[in-house]
Amino acid sequence: MTQDRRHVGGYSPWEDQYGFARAVAIGDFVFVSGCTAWDDGSVRFEGSPYEQTVAAFGVALDALSRFGLDKADIVRTRLYVTHARDTDEVGRAHRDLLGEIRPACTMVVINALVDSRMSVEVEVDAYKKNVELLR
């Protein structure tokens, strides 16, 4: 049986360039693409992994809200960090935002992101019965 597939766009210039959606819903799951602190042509909070993580989750939560979901519906996160020295700050931001929810989580230290000013990228998977595209 084929389930409905719905997607929403975001504000990243790379969505059209690389052919992806900000978030895709299939059945009761929503998968949010990698989110960063990118905003209106610039990287926000350069040099602050904590604030970049909070901003990236803001992008992800905005995408989830378009399907009627919020942070309580998050079941898995992935954190891509460009420097091992930043893992505690990124982890602290994750805990501050989602600690009471305790989603499954993976943090990986990587070589680089598409813009060298970015220190973290986050992905989110969420689940909610009867997901609908709201806007």
Side-chain angles (χ1 to χ4, degrees):
M1 177 173 144
T2 303
Q3 295 181 339
D4 290 332
R5 177 187 173 105
R6 293 140 302 163
H7 69 273
V8 296
Y11 311 104
S12 165
W14 299 289
E15 289 176 36
D16 287 336
Q17 183 178 354
Y18 300 151
F20 69 93
R22 170 59 50 212
V24 175
I26 297 180
D28 296 332
F29 288 92
V30 177
F31 305 96
V32 181
S33 295
C35 300
T36 64
W38 180 265
D39 184 34
D40 197 27
S42 65
V43 175
R44 297 173 58 211
F45 309 112
E46 186 175 350
S48 176
Y50 181 94
E51 293 298 331
Q52 282 198 12
T53 303
V54 171
F57 272 107
V59 173
L61 289 169
D62 178 64
L64 288 177
S65 74
R66 295 170 68 188
F67 291 103
L69 283 73
D70 61 27
K71 70 180 188 174
D73 301 307
I74 295 173
V75 296
R76 182 180 175 97
T77 58
R78 290 172 203 82
L79 310 167
Y80 302 96
V81 184
T82 58
H83 297 286
R85 69 176 179 257
D86 296 336
T87 57
D88 284 345
E89 285 299 292
V90 171
R92 184 170 66 89
H94 186 275
R95 182 198 63 219
D96 290 351
L97 291 165
L98 303 173
E100 72 278 5
I101 298 159
R102 294 207 180 254
C105 178
T106 300
M107 186 184 307
V108 179
V109 177
I110 60 171
N111 187 41
L113 292 167
V114 297
D115 187 305
S116 63
R117 298 169 297 170
M118 296 174 182
S119 57
V120 64
E121 184 164 339
V122 304
E123 293 180 354
V124 171
D125 299 341
Y127 172 86
K128 186 174 186 177
K129 208 70 165 142
N130 301 315
V131 170
E132 295 181 34
L133 179 57
L134 300 178
R135 54 181 169 102

